[in-house]
Amino acid sequence: PSVIEEIDATIRVAKGFVCSTIDDLVEAHRVLDCKRVVLKPVFGGGGEGVLLIDEVEQLRMYDFPMGDVMLEEFLELDTAADGLVLSPAMHYNGGAMLGQGLMDEIIVDTNHTGWRRSVAPKVFEKTVKRCMQGLMTGTKPTGPGGATFVSVGGMPVLCSTSLAQFTGGHAPKLFAQMYAKDCAFFCWERRAPDALDVAGLWKRMKSAGCAFLPGKSTSGVFPLSFLRGKSGRFIAIAKDDIQCMVLHDKAVKLLNSLDSTPIPAQPVQSQMKFILIKNAEAIYAPDLIQAKHILVAGRQIVGLLDDKAAAAIEGLHAGIATRVMDAKGHIVVPGFVDIHVHITGGGGELGPASRTPEGKVQEMIEGGMTTVVGVLGTDCVSRSLENLAVKARALNDEGITAFMWTGAYRLPTPTLTGSVRRDICLIEPCIGAGECAISDHRGSQPDTNTIAQAAADCRVGGMLAGKAGVMYCHMGPGTGYLTPLWKVVRETEIPMQTFLPTHMERSEELIADGAKWCNEGGYIDLTCRTVKAQLALVKYLAEGVPMDHVMVSSDSYGSLPTYDEEGRLIRYAAAHTKAMLQFLWKMYFHHLWPLERILPHMTKTPAKFLKLQGKGEVAVGCDADLLLLDKNTLKLHYVVAKGNLVMTPKWTHAGMFGSASSNPK
């Protein structure tokens, strides 16, 4: 039992162990017997050093940078109406509770970002208070302290305690109790400007009309602590949470304007602003959710709003940079995550003149792509990884998100730094190696050992870099099908999730082999351009294949060669960028699939498998990558990428040298 359970057995805590060595971690992982665990430094705060662990190999490489850690079971946490994790806290001093209610710690991913007035239900609050009474009775505190809870299945679970010390929550709680008992508040931390001291800052805040005067004001911002050039803690006080957010935004703009650190301008990147997307007919996250309004701040989604909250945002005064988009007649879905795009062009099988053109950001946007993974193919002679890496950076600057696969068809594969492992670790957008040709006459006919070595490099590189570390395998028309990959999985220690075979719709035999691969825990990718991909999905659903192990991609800008039975090239074309949209239409209108069944294959599933954080979902804390589709035709009318409007029915962002489309189809 934990110390807490010995103090009060009715207080729920996560199962876990304190660990000091690698052996401790491995044994704790075995005893917990959980698919996912959480690693937390014993001496840490604000989410610092917290890691989500999916595999024991991650624990074997941990180096204890912050000392002893706790390894705990992963809990599915409840969220508030705005999508934030419900994490209330209570604080005390000298054996007495501070204030009458709870205060919510604001957590995004694993990071603490501030405090606000609690939105926890009253029943939950009563249970927390009883737990705190039991904790204080058992510890008999004489000084300050506090405890933070999370909600699991509607019940509080104690996740951290602070004994005999002030915490980050004491100052805002005491301030609000003294000067704004019945008001909403939001407390946050940020670097204090170098430009002036706290007296100068206070003068500027008063001039800007956002200063809170204790005992006089009913709303405003107050610096709870301020260390020039180092750290500051600020609290916004207002009548409701929306007005607190407005004050926070105003104060942050003021602080940014005072910061002497220059911020270079970048194409498409915008200042912090709000975008309110209101009146959507439906929002698919990719599952259908209840909200009809989305609030975007900067590049992230910060709220899924009800009608009242949306109306309050829309009514903000002109001093706040707010764009309002009326989504009436449209549904909102996540931007497509296309993991197979020849962003520098592909092809070349018919000689130099058959090299397909380089990708354009305008065409990708009009195809619904907000996240792409660039790839080389057959040609790694005239096409280079250096060009691929720079093109990925260019697309990121031009307004969408781009990653890359290192390597090409041949194995051993070309690299930028001398090895696949180093490329994944040292090249920021690199997430794995591919597309490496298997069972294809255009590949280098690799043996089992060569494939295994490349896969091992991907896996270890991913572990070291905290990335997916996937080997993306082009499956050709050869009769070997997945046999080369099956051999590696069965004869080595490399797990099958290291591989992601693509073009798996190519033949009935490959489709059948793909079903076996998924049923044993692997993942596959279908190129969504042909009816075969549609029929493969229908077949998999009917046979009970795990559908969350299947994703689709477009192969845009790649070549589309057709060979006869003797291997002679008889037809040739370049792949356009509308394939994923067309696939969506075919599955919805022809196969009568609901959107919540179609969308994960091109959004959430690839983003989750490739560890592309913040991508593939409409949720608070995720990147604002959104498509607005006509509710009747599913035609694409608007695109928001990284919080910027990049396409309307009359205009599409075209990058630095492009010619903006005046009426995209």
Side-chain angles (χ1 to χ4, degrees):
S2 69
V3 174
I4 300 299
E5 289 171 316
E6 291 179 349
I7 292 173
D8 186 341
T10 65
I11 300 176
R12 297 178 63 193
V13 296
K15 292 187 295 184
F17 301 91
V18 175
C19 302
S20 304
T21 66
I22 298 295
D23 289 341
D24 290 346
L25 287 173
V26 173
E27 179 62 14
H29 185 271
R30 184 192 67 80
V31 174
L32 287 172
D33 192 26
C34 297
K35 187 174 181 180
R36 171 176 275 194
V37 293
V38 183
L39 185 148
K40 301 178 181 177
V42 172
F43 304 104
E48 184 181 10
V50 176
L51 299 174
L52 299 179
I53 304 296
D54 294 307
E55 299 181 2
V56 71
E57 285 83 358
Q58 293 173 266
L59 297 175
R60 291 195 172 101
M61 302 183 67
Y62 189 70
D63 59 359
F64 294 89
M66 299 176 67
D68 291 355
V69 298
M70 296 176 287
L71 196 71
E72 298 179 350
E73 62 178 332
F74 174 78
L75 301 173
E76 291 289 346
L77 305 182
D78 300 333
T79 57
D82 57 8
L84 293 175
V85 170
L86 192 59
S87 182
M90 293 202 75
H91 301 85
Y92 57 81
N93 189 26
M97 295 282 191
L98 294 181
Q100 299 299 313
L102 306 179
M103 180 170 66
D104 284 352
E105 183 176 3
I106 300 174
I107 299 173
V108 177
D109 291 330
T110 60
N111 300 313
H112 164 86
T113 61
W115 299 91
R116 68 177 179 182
R117 183 174 60 176
S118 182
V119 297
K122 293 298 183 182
V123 174
F124 186 94
E125 184 174 338
K126 288 179 63 177
T127 306
V128 168
K129 288 182 177 179
R130 183 190 56 75
C131 292
M132 283 299 298
Q133 284 298 144
L135 187 63
M136 294 175 67
T137 300
T139 57
K140 297 179 174 60
T142 57
T148 303
F149 297 79
V150 291
S151 177
V152 178
M155 296 298 294
V157 175
L158 181 65
C159 64
S160 67
T161 58
S162 298
L163 304 177
Q165 61 179 330
F166 286 103
T167 72
H170 275 83
K173 189 68 175 287
L174 285 167
F175 188 88
Q177 181 179 333
M178 292 174 66
Y179 301 113
K181 280 187 178 182
D182 300 321
C183 293
F185 66 87
F186 173 64
C187 177
W188 76 97
E189 297 178 359
R190 64 154 284 149
R191 180 183 177 275
D194 297 305
L196 74 173
D197 58 17
V198 69
L201 172 67
W202 184 246
K203 184 177 180 180
R204 297 286 186 91
M205 291 175 66
K206 289 175 70 176
S207 297
C210 64
F212 182 88
L213 303 175
K216 297 181 179 180
S217 299
T218 57
S219 67
V221 177
F222 188 85
L224 296 174
S225 63
F226 187 93
L227 186 60
R228 182 174 179 174
K230 298 296 182 181
S231 63
R233 181 176 294 153
F234 304 86
I235 187 170
I237 302 288
K239 64 180 181 179
D240 56 38
D241 293 330
I242 296 294
Q243 292 301 318
C244 282
M245 188 164 55
V246 173
L247 287 168
H248 163 264
D249 184 63
K250 193 170 184 178
V252 167
K253 287 181 180 178
L254 176 63
L255 291 165
N256 286 340
S257 70
L258 298 174
D259 201 326
S260 61
T261 304
I263 302 175
Q266 295 183 356
V268 174
Q269 308 269 335
S270 62
Q271 296 179 350
M272 174 66 75
K273 63 184 183 303
F274 291 128
I275 297 178
L276 174 63
I277 302 173
K278 66 173 188 175
N279 301 329
E281 301 294 334
I283 299 174
Y284 291 85
D287 291 327
L288 181 63
I289 61 176
Q290 295 301 313
K292 295 296 177 66
H293 317 279
I294 301 173
L295 181 62
V296 174
R299 63 177 288 166
Q300 287 192 324
I301 298 168
V302 297
L304 299 173
L305 309 178
D306 59 20
D307 292 343
K308 181 179 179 181
I313 289 290
E314 189 175 4
L316 295 177
H317 59 77
I320 303 300
T322 306
R323 178 196 292 271
V324 178
M325 295 175 57
D326 193 341
K328 185 177 181 180
H330 294 82
I331 61 171
V332 181
V333 305
F336 296 154
V337 178
D338 195 337
I339 66 174
H340 193 143
V341 182
H342 292 272
I343 58 176
T344 57
E349 289 96 335
L350 282 180
S354 66
R355 297 164 76 249
T356 62
E358 180 175 302
K360 298 179 180 180
V361 68
Q362 174 180 341
E363 295 170 344
M364 297 180 202
I365 290 169
E366 291 176 356
M369 304 175 192
T370 55
T371 300
V372 299
V373 184
V375 63
L376 295 185
T378 310
D379 183 4
C380 57
V381 177
S382 70
R383 310 286 191 184
S384 71
L385 288 170
E386 289 82 0
N387 190 23
L388 187 72
V390 173
K391 178 65 175 181
R393 289 179 58 188
L395 290 172
N396 279 299
D397 286 346
E398 288 180 320
I400 65 173
T401 303
F403 300 91
M404 63 172 282
W405 303 104
T406 191
Y409 269 25
R410 69 176 173 86
L411 289 170
T413 196
T415 64
L416 283 165
T417 64
S419 76
V420 169
R421 185 178 307 192
R422 289 174 59 83
D423 279 9
I424 296 172
C425 287
L426 302 178
I427 309 300
E428 182 58 33
C430 181
I431 59 173
E435 54 177 319
C436 305
I438 307 294
S439 300
D440 195 301
H441 64 93
R442 293 167 292 177
S444 51
Q445 315 310 309
D447 58 21
T448 302
N449 186 57
T450 302
I451 298 172
Q453 288 180 350
D457 253 8
C458 287
R459 178 169 175 75
V460 175
M463 293 168 64
L464 294 174
K467 300 178 182 178
V470 168
M471 183 173 175
Y472 191 47
C473 298
H474 162 105
M475 303 310 301
T479 56
Y481 310 122
L482 288 176
T483 299
L485 303 187
W486 282 116
K487 288 186 67 176
V488 174
V489 170
R490 288 166 177 161
E491 296 177 9
T492 74
E493 299 302 315
I494 297 172
M496 65 196 314
Q497 290 84 3
T498 305
F499 298 103
L500 179 58
T502 187
H503 306 311
M504 289 296 293
E505 78 297 333
R506 195 183 294 274
S507 67
E508 291 184 8
E509 293 82 2
L510 205 50
I511 291 171
D513 215 2
K516 296 176 185 176
W517 186 264
C518 291
N519 285 332
E520 291 201 21
Y523 289 74
I524 65 170
D525 178 37
L526 305 173
T527 306
C528 64
R529 295 185 169 274
T530 68
V531 70
K532 290 181 180 179
Q534 303 166 32
L535 297 178
L537 276 181
V538 172
K539 174 182 173 68
Y540 288 162
L541 180 66
E543 294 179 350
V545 173
M547 300 302 284
D548 59 349
H549 284 222
V550 183
M551 57 200 82
V552 300
S553 61
S554 74
D555 202 6
S556 291
Y557 301 108
S559 62
L560 299 176
T562 302
Y563 298 90
D564 63 18
E565 293 180 355
E566 297 180 5
R568 292 175 299 199
L569 188 64
I570 59 174
R571 195 162 47 251
Y572 197 81
H576 60 75
T577 59
K578 300 286 183 70
M580 296 185 88
L581 274 173
Q582 293 173 349
F583 178 80
L584 179 71
W585 300 336
K586 292 289 181 65
M587 296 305 297
Y588 184 78
F589 291 113
H590 292 190
H591 296 282
L592 304 180
W593 275 28
L595 287 174
E596 52 265 51
R597 183 185 297 164
I598 308 168
L599 287 168
H601 300 296
M602 56 186 68
T603 57
K604 183 177 181 178
T605 297
K608 184 177 180 180
F609 180 71
L610 295 180
K611 297 184 178 180
L612 308 182
Q613 292 188 356
K615 300 299 181 181
E617 295 185 74
V618 179
V620 172
C622 287
D623 285 352
D625 295 339
L626 306 167
L627 310 181
L628 276 66
L629 309 175
D630 183 276
K631 68 173 183 177
N632 297 316
T633 65
L634 298 188
K635 296 292 185 181
L636 179 61
H637 287 173
Y638 297 88
V639 178
V640 175
K642 294 193 291 194
N644 291 287
L645 182 62
V646 294
M647 176 180 158
T648 74
K650 296 183 178 181
W651 169 86
T652 305
H653 170 67
M656 185 171 292
F657 298 107
S659 176
S661 171
S662 60
N663 187 20
K665 301 296 183 183

